[in-house]
Amino acid sequence: MKTLFKLFVLTSLVVSSAFAADDVLLTSDDFVADAGNYVPLDSRWGELGVFHGNKGKLVGRFTVATGGEYNLQALYASDEKRPCTITVARAYGKSDEQTNVFATQTGGFLAKDLKWESAPKTFKLEAGDYTMTIAFERSMPHFRGFRITTDNAVPAADIFLTLIAEKKRIAEQRFCEENAQKSAATRSRLQKFLPDTEYIVFIKRATFQSSHYYTDFIDGARIFGAELCLLSLRDGSVKNLVPSLRGGLIGRCNLSFDGKKIIFDYKRQLGEGFRIWEVGVDGTGLRQLTFPPDDEEQRIAKYRMDKHNAVSQIWAGYKGIGAGLYAHHTDDFHPAYLPDGGFVFTSTRCEHGILCDGPDVLTASVLYRSDKDGKKLEKLSDNSVSESCPTVMEDGRVLYTRWEYVDNGSVTNKGLWSINPDGTASSEIYGANIAYPSVFNTARQIPGQPTKFVCIGAPHMPVGVGTILLVDTRVNRRTVDGVHYVTPEVDQQHQSRWQRPQTNQPFTRLYEPEQVSKLTIQTDKSRDGGGNTDAGPLFMDPFPLDEHNFIASFNPDKKWNDVSGYGLYYINDSGERELLYRDNEMSAWCPIPVRAAKLPGMPTVARDTQLAEEGLARLVVLDVYAGMDNVKRGTVKYLRINEHVPRPWSARRYWSGDEFDQQHSAISKNAALGLRVQHGIVPVEADGSANFVVPADKNIFIQALDEKFREVQRERTFVNYRPGEIRSCVGCHEQAAEAPIRGSRTSMPLAMQRQYDRPAAQPGEQTGARPISYFEDVQPIWDKHCMSCHNDEKADGKINLAATLTTHFNRSYETLMDWNAAPVIRENHPKAGNNHYLPPYTLGANASKLVSLLEKGHYDAKLSREEWIRLTTWLDANGQYYGTYFGKKNIKYKGEKDFRPTPTFQETQTLIPPME
């Protein structure tokens, strides 16, 4: 007997079957989705068809050879009732019929749980072509396929397996035949660039399904099955170096300097983190280098979101991620070898939550290092958000992508930074003042050119693919002049998705923040909008052969998350895109030529052992006025030392109501998303120099203050200083071209002629190291001076300065924020952009209309010097209200013991909640 089967593209395949000649079999990979994340053969669920998300449609086509009454049978797995509507319609007609399927529970979502179900009605079908549409309002079951038949027999569950295998075989054969000739020509061309190179190492796996550029390890790792491969440039053969790890996931890899070992990250299964592994290029010496912390199970039990009823529904529906997918275990990933034999990697062992993530289902990662055996782990940074994709430059420094938002748009700053292998000498490379692209991803240095880098320009969401950029840091890094598009056919000008340049856009280019509001994008004119495409051309993982030629992952035309959409290509800036390798079932990533490289040195900076023991670092500012335009010398009297504090997992709330403007725990109203604390002030000498110590391993940023302790200029970024590190800088917003100033002085800076300063208290403060809290610092001023005219019953000028509590804050604070009492950076409004350079006196107390009003004299409101300092310090703090992440903040919890606790400096440093 014969079974007639029609593929979606209407090519026929005949296979042997024990069923009637008129039977039609539709497998899960014969359906496509109108939207959303549909995986036709999801290996994680036993190669069943899985739609990741809610509400959608799947459409397939089939042909009936003989007219008659047909039964519809579905083979599916579901651990809950997920009813769907099936519509069968003539491909070229108007008549259609509907029925319901998937109405029962089978006991699970895996292939072992498959069961047959017959539709409650039959279909009267004529011979011809039809479409079948599966529509669902919520989630749909996982399914293997449908049988459309004239009999009522219940078939075996494995009837589709032979069909699927045969389809794969035919598709693979066709695929290989079509690409073999192209690949051979590209391999021959590459051998001219790589005459001594026989292999390319790369990773073969399905495309990550990530919701954001940094969430591969959180919600991207859905489709398991991966290989670490060697591609022969001689004959095109591919060898899997780690067959024993085939069932897991491999994220990224890097090569040792001698070209003999490969380091990579690997995830065995859901519920476990990525760990760092190593293997020789000959396939020997496979070993695991990092392991879960000893208390990993306790950590998962404490922090996983889906066990807490109050937030489980938020978690389950969050951007289609799915309940329980990420259990808040630790992850180690993105490794690279260091010149001393150790390795650098990114990890979530810092246990920091993302600041603009109200449900707290995401998490941050920062840089770590280890010795060669994974025995000595050391945290190199303390970022409040994420760091990723480290590689090592020819001078030994580590190049990586750093996300931050200290008084910047929250999704904008993912620029390129560098550090020494020990974490010292943290420095921006490029991108902090560029609006789009918002992510400079997977960067590598151009061989022999220490000032040039290749990277991907990507959006904040979804996954971190995009366009290939060449960055030249010899130009002013505040401008876009140093960036060249290698692949101008795709651009990124929004928070999400990509652009294909339109006819009304004369060329593809980067945009500086002040230009963003003038953009006229086809689909959305807002800064926070989406692009005009979610499909290729899209690029990833460029490896530079020189500054004009690259090998990279490339998706010519498939959707961004197509499981096999990305292959390896030779790419140049003349427009050539030549196929090197493609696989029919999985994408190819992270290509690296297997060859030895010169071993870099180990760059270092001076360290003071005594300061290191105290957990301090030393900073010397040679001239604070350098780069500070239009500020008269002698104006700056002090520097205020601030810290941007990460939100720890220990501040996670398991109650509702505290989320505000994407803040998991409210800090401000429409201003700062992250908590800042003060460490004190240090003096500035008459020549603009300063010599002082700061806490090590903290996110330190500085404000220049005048004689009234008011901000003149602020540092809208942070620097991590390692214990004992001694650093110097020219002044404010130092540029590379200003480096010669260091040697231009004819005398020793005044601050260098004496012992360094330690941060001290401002007048009226008991200690310089303290939290900044509106309710404790500022409200008492209004209570003392302003209640006769500005209260709940009488609010002169519509200004109410009463202490009355509101849902998340209090009345006076909300009044002042709505009145724009001082200019602030609204880190979520807009999210993208809002990071351009601002001259002195733009923000803070000196730009405040409240200060101007009070200084002119406002009735009997006469503030003391100490009150003025408390008020202006708050005005300089970008609108912060709370001084802690901890405690219940919604007014509905008033009366409970942890309702709006008085903040302490200690809890911001230890990250231990004041009460469990």
Side-chain angles (χ1 to χ4, degrees), residues 684-894:
V684 174
E685 298 292 344
D687 63 352
S689 63
N691 176 15
F692 55 99
V693 294
V694 297
D697 293 331
K698 302 291 184 181
N699 304 320
I700 298 299
F701 64 104
I702 295 170
Q703 293 169 311
L705 309 179
D706 62 18
E707 63 182 356
K708 295 181 179 179
F709 301 90
R710 300 176 188 176
E711 175 188 302
V712 175
Q713 181 64 296
R714 74 178 59 173
E715 186 179 22
R716 293 166 63 205
T717 184
F718 69 83
V719 177
N720 290 140
Y721 302 95
R722 298 309 316 279
E725 181 177 1
I726 302 175
R727 292 278 302 273
S728 65
C729 65
V730 173
C732 192
H733 294 275
E734 178 182 350
Q735 297 293 308
E738 296 172 352
I741 297 176
R742 295 175 185 264
S744 64
R745 300 186 65 107
T746 58
S747 62
M748 177 73 71
L750 294 176
M752 292 286 288
Q753 299 178 30
R754 56 172 174 76
Q755 177 73 359
Y756 53 75
D757 295 299
R758 294 177 181 265
Q762 297 178 127
E765 297 174 345
Q766 293 182 351
T767 174
R770 67 177 187 88
I772 299 172
S773 169
Y774 176 89
F775 195 80
E776 277 73 26
D777 294 344
V778 180
Q779 187 60 49
I781 300 174
W782 311 142
D783 293 343
K784 178 180 178 181
H785 296 283
C786 306
M787 284 304 97
S788 61
C789 299
H790 301 284
N791 55 61
D792 287 331
E793 287 74 33
K794 178 184 178 183
D796 286 1
K798 298 182 180 180
I799 301 298
N800 185 347
L801 298 180
T804 307
L805 301 185
T806 59
T807 302
H808 291 98
F809 307 103
N810 84 339
R811 184 64 60 213
S812 66
Y813 172 77
E814 292 192 0
T815 297
L816 293 175
M817 294 300 291
D818 292 343
W819 186 53
N820 295 319
V824 297
I825 296 293
R826 302 184 186 277
E827 294 178 355
N828 250 358
H829 310 285
K831 291 171 171 292
N834 210 12
N835 65 323
H836 50 298
Y837 168 73
L838 295 175
Y841 300 113
T842 300
L843 302 169
N846 274 315
S848 169
K849 61 183 180 181
L850 174 63
V851 169
S852 179
L853 175 68
L854 292 175
E855 282 195 323
K856 290 177 181 178
H858 187 69
Y859 300 99
D860 295 328
K862 306 295 183 183
L863 275 60
S864 68
R865 184 189 189 207
E866 291 74 16
E867 289 173 329
W868 268 116
I869 290 173
R870 291 208 312 273
L871 174 60
T872 56
T873 297
W874 171 73
L875 290 169
D876 291 344
N878 202 41
Q880 180 168 302
Y881 181 84
Y882 287 104
T884 180
Y885 290 117
F886 297 113
K888 295 184 173 74
K889 296 177 177 177
N890 194 296
I891 197 171
K892 67 182 179 180
Y893 299 111
K894 185 178 181 181

Side-chain angles (χ1 to χ4, degrees), residues 899-913:
F899 175 69
R900 303 192 185 182
T902 300
T904 67
F905 183 77
Q906 181 182 10
E907 71 192 40
T908 69
Q909 303 301 292
T910 63
L911 306 182
I912 297 175

Side-chain angles (χ1 to χ4, degrees), residues 214 217-218 303 326 328-330 347-355 357 360-368 379 381-387 643-652 697-699 718 720 885 908 911:
Y214 66 93
F217 67 98
I218 300 172
Y303 291 123
Y326 184 65
H328 278 78
H329 40 68
T330 58
S347 180
T348 65
R349 293 174 189 257
C350 59
E351 299 186 6
H352 297 168
I354 296 297
L355 298 178
D357 175 26
D360 203 25
V361 298
L362 307 176
T363 197
S365 59
V366 302
L367 291 186
Y368 280 70
K379 185 159 69 82
S381 67
D382 197 46
N383 201 336
S384 302
V385 272
S386 287
E387 297 167 338
E643 176 192 350
H644 201 248
V645 181
R647 178 171 57 78
W649 288 2
S650 58
R652 170 162 296 156
D697 293 331
K698 302 291 184 181
N699 304 320
F718 69 83
N720 290 140
Y885 290 117
T908 69
L911 306 182

Side-chain angles (χ1 to χ4, degrees), residues 558-596:
K558 298 292 191 299
K559 191 175 178 180
W560 67 269
N561 62 344
D562 187 279
V563 293
S564 59
Y566 296 79
L568 302 183
Y569 283 74
Y570 160 74
I571 292 165
N572 63 29
D573 57 6
S574 298
E576 294 178 288
R577 297 10 176 177
E578 298 182 4
L579 177 66
L580 174 60
Y581 172 82
R582 284 195 73 95
D583 184 83
N584 194 37
E585 296 183 356
M586 294 190 285
S587 291
W589 309 94
C590 212
I592 303 173
V594 179
R595 55 182 176 174

